[in-house]
């Protein structure tokens, strides 16, 4: 063991001396050996990217060209409903900040239908759009659509509409009469219709989720003024034929009247307003009728016969009334309604309306 160790040490010393000798003074004809060249390379620094997911943020370095490549290298997998602050096709630059909004469960309660789904939207309005629901008209959400989605993901939508009722109060219109030569006597025709006026009050009520809130009246205001109408009173005289009691009559006017009977003994004698003695065939009427042009008018009363208006009397029964004359020996008591036919010829002046 001692000899072997000695030989090993001696060999090492001789080898070291040989190397030093050749290195300091190379022999004639020897070849020098040059060291190997260093390999060439380019240092590309990584680009700093700030990545935020939720409330957590990291500063990472990457040599990726696009954000999609960067996320793949970083091992970040996105759900189809997740959203990013920048498009994944955006190029990566130093100092870039990328935020990822993770999709979460959203529950929407609405009178129309309840629904749920995933959305990464930050505002209530955007989340509703992601779920295919948008607020219409007066609809509103709790929280409001511009507010952030609550932590529990619950949103309530209220459906709102308005009911408007118009309450019309009619203002009656009047009318006036005028002579109408194209319309038959004792008949009337509307020449100009009366149009009532209207005062309108509007009541507005809001309906929230199917429940009607307090109605608020608005007005009233005048919608239109009444317009008086015009009624035509016929003045056209038409001769009409009719068989009464077996007798053919030709008359120009007939009136419904209440008839009574009177006689000389109850009248204080035979005197009359016309001077013709009271007898059967003499007929008395109220003074206004007599003076309207009916004096000496030929008439016919069913069940009584022909007569002449030749006397006046007090109208104790009111219009219309006639008193049928008799002799004392042929007196018949009358107390009922009947028809008075005014026979031709037609007098020169006739009233359109009997007084």
């Amino acid at each position: 063991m001692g000899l072997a160790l000695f030989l090993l040490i001696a060999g090492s010393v001789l080898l070291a001396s040989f190397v030093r000798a050749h290195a300091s003074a190379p022999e004639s004809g020897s070849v020098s050996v040059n060291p190997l060249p260093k390999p060439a390379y380019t240092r590309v620094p990584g680009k700093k990217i700030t990545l935020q997911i939720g409330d957590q943020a990291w500063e990472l370095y990457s040599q990726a060209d696009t954000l999609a490549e960067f996320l793949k290298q970083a091992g970040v997998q996105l759900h189809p409903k997740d959203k990013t602050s920048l498009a994944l096709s955006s190029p990566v630059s130093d100092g870039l900040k990328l935020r990822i909004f993770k999709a979460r469960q959203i529950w929407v309660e609405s009178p129309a239908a309840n629904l749920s789904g995933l959305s990464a939207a930050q505002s209530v309005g955007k989340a509703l759009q992601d779920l295919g629901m948008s607020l219409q008209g007066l609809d509103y959400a709790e929280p409001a659509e511009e507010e952030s989605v609550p932590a529990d993901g619950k949103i309530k939508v209220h459906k709102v509409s308005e009911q408007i009722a118009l309450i019309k109060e009619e203002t009656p219109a009047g009318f006036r009469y005028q002579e109408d030569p194209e319309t038959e006597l004792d008949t009337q025709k509307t020449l100009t219709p009366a149009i009532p006026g209207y005062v309108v009050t509007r009541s507005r009520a809001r309906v929230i989720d199917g429940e009607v809130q307090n109605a608020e009246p608005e007005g009233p205001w005048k919608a239109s003024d009444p317009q008086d109408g015009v009624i035509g009173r016929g003045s056209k005289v038409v001769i009409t034929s009719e068989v009464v009691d077996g007798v053919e009559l030709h008359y120009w006017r007939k009136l419904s009247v209440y008839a009574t009977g009177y006689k000389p003994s109850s009248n204080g004698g035979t005197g009359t307003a016309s001077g013709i003695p009271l007898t059967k065939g003499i007929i008395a009427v109220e003074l206004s009728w007599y003076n309207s042009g009916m004096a000496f008018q030929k008439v016919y009363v069913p069940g009584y016969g022909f007569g002449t208006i030749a006397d006046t009397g007090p109208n104790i029964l009111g219009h219309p009334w006639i008193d049928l004359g008799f002799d004392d020996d042929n007196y018949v008591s009358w107390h009922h309604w009947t028809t008075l036919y005014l026979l031709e010829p037609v007098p020169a002046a006739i009233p359109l309306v009997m007084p």
Side-chain angles (χ1 to χ4, degrees):
M1 291 295 292
L3 179 61
L5 179 61
F6 172 77
L7 293 175
L8 177 61
I9 295 172
S12 300
V13 171
L14 292 173
L15 179 62
S17 298
F18 175 80
V19 171
R20 283 197 300 271
H22 283 77
S24 58
E27 296 181 358
S28 178
S30 64
V31 179
S32 63
V33 179
N34 294 325
L36 295 173
K38 295 181 179 180
Y41 67 93
T42 302
R43 180 177 179 274
V44 180
K47 288 167 279 190
K48 179 182 177 182
I49 301 173
T50 300
L51 174 64
Q52 181 177 349
I53 302 177
D55 295 331
Q56 293 184 310
W58 299 268
E59 290 184 353
L60 304 176
Y61 292 86
S62 175
Q63 294 179 350
D65 293 327
T66 65
L67 288 179
E69 184 180 348
F70 160 70
L71 292 177
K72 183 177 180 181
Q73 292 176 357
V76 177
Q77 294 184 347
L78 297 179
H79 188 276
K81 294 291 185 178
D82 291 345
K83 292 185 179 180
T84 57
S85 60
L86 298 172
L88 297 182
S89 59
S90 301
V92 175
S93 60
D94 188 45
L96 183 143
K97 294 181 179 181
L98 175 64
R99 188 173 182 183
I100 296 177
F101 303 98
K102 300 298 291 182
R104 52 179 168 159
Q105 192 72 28
I106 304 294
W107 290 271
V108 179
E109 180 184 349
S110 169
N114 296 334
L115 70 155
S116 63
L118 293 173
S119 174
Q122 299 303 292
S123 69
V124 170
K126 293 293 185 182
L128 291 175
Q129 290 180 11
D130 286 348
L131 270 64
M133 176 180 288
S134 60
L135 300 178
Q136 304 293 326
L138 299 174
D139 297 348
Y140 67 95
E142 289 182 312
E145 58 181 327
E146 65 275 7
E147 295 183 15
S148 299
V149 176
D152 60 5
K154 294 181 179 180
I155 302 171
K156 188 171 184 179
V157 171
H158 298 278
K159 306 299 289 184
V160 183
S161 62
E162 279 191 336
Q163 290 181 349
I164 297 178
L166 297 180
I167 304 172
K168 296 193 298 184
E169 295 182 7
E170 186 174 299
T171 304
F175 59 87
R176 61 183 178 85
Y177 291 99
Q178 75 176 38
E179 181 179 347
D180 181 11
E182 301 300 322
T183 301
E184 189 173 342
L185 186 67
D186 292 333
T187 60
Q188 297 178 353
K189 182 173 70 175
T190 299
L191 302 180
T192 302
I195 301 176
Y198 291 99
V199 174
V200 179
T201 301
R202 181 168 59 186
S203 176
R204 184 192 300 271
R206 181 160 290 190
V207 182
I208 301 178
D209 297 338
E211 295 185 4
V212 179
Q213 308 300 310
N214 293 333
E216 298 180 358
E218 300 177 359
W221 69 90
K222 184 185 291 185
S224 62
D225 291 316
Q227 300 180 24
D228 292 345
V230 178
I231 298 177
R233 281 177 169 160
S235 61
K236 182 178 181 180
V237 176
V238 178
I239 304 298
T240 305
S241 298
E242 185 176 340
V243 175
V244 181
D245 298 336
V247 180
E248 185 176 358
L249 303 178
H250 301 279
Y251 63 93
W252 58 272
R253 175 180 254 166
K254 67 178 179 179
L255 305 169
S256 180
V257 295
Y258 191 85
T260 58
Y262 75 120
K263 57 186 176 178
S265 59
S266 60
N267 191 48
T270 59
T272 64
S274 65
I276 301 175
L278 175 58
T279 185
K280 188 175 186 303
I282 297 298
I283 297 176
V285 297
E286 197 269 339
L287 183 62
S288 62
W289 278 28
Y290 190 85
N291 292 334
S292 69
M294 293 184 68
F296 303 105
Q297 171 67 49
K298 300 298 182 181
V299 299
Y300 186 89
V301 178
Y304 177 82
F306 292 99
T308 300
I309 296 176
D311 199 4
T312 64
N315 187 5
I316 59 174
L317 298 175
H319 290 310
W321 165 87
I322 61 174
D323 208 3
L324 304 177
F326 289 91
D327 298 323
D328 285 331
D329 56 358
N330 62 8
Y331 175 74
V332 176
S333 176
W334 280 65
H335 288 284
H336 58 265
W337 286 90
T338 187
T339 301
L340 178 66
Y341 291 87
L342 307 184
L343 307 178
E344 57 179 355
V346 181
I350 59 174
L352 295 183
V353 180
M354 298 301 298

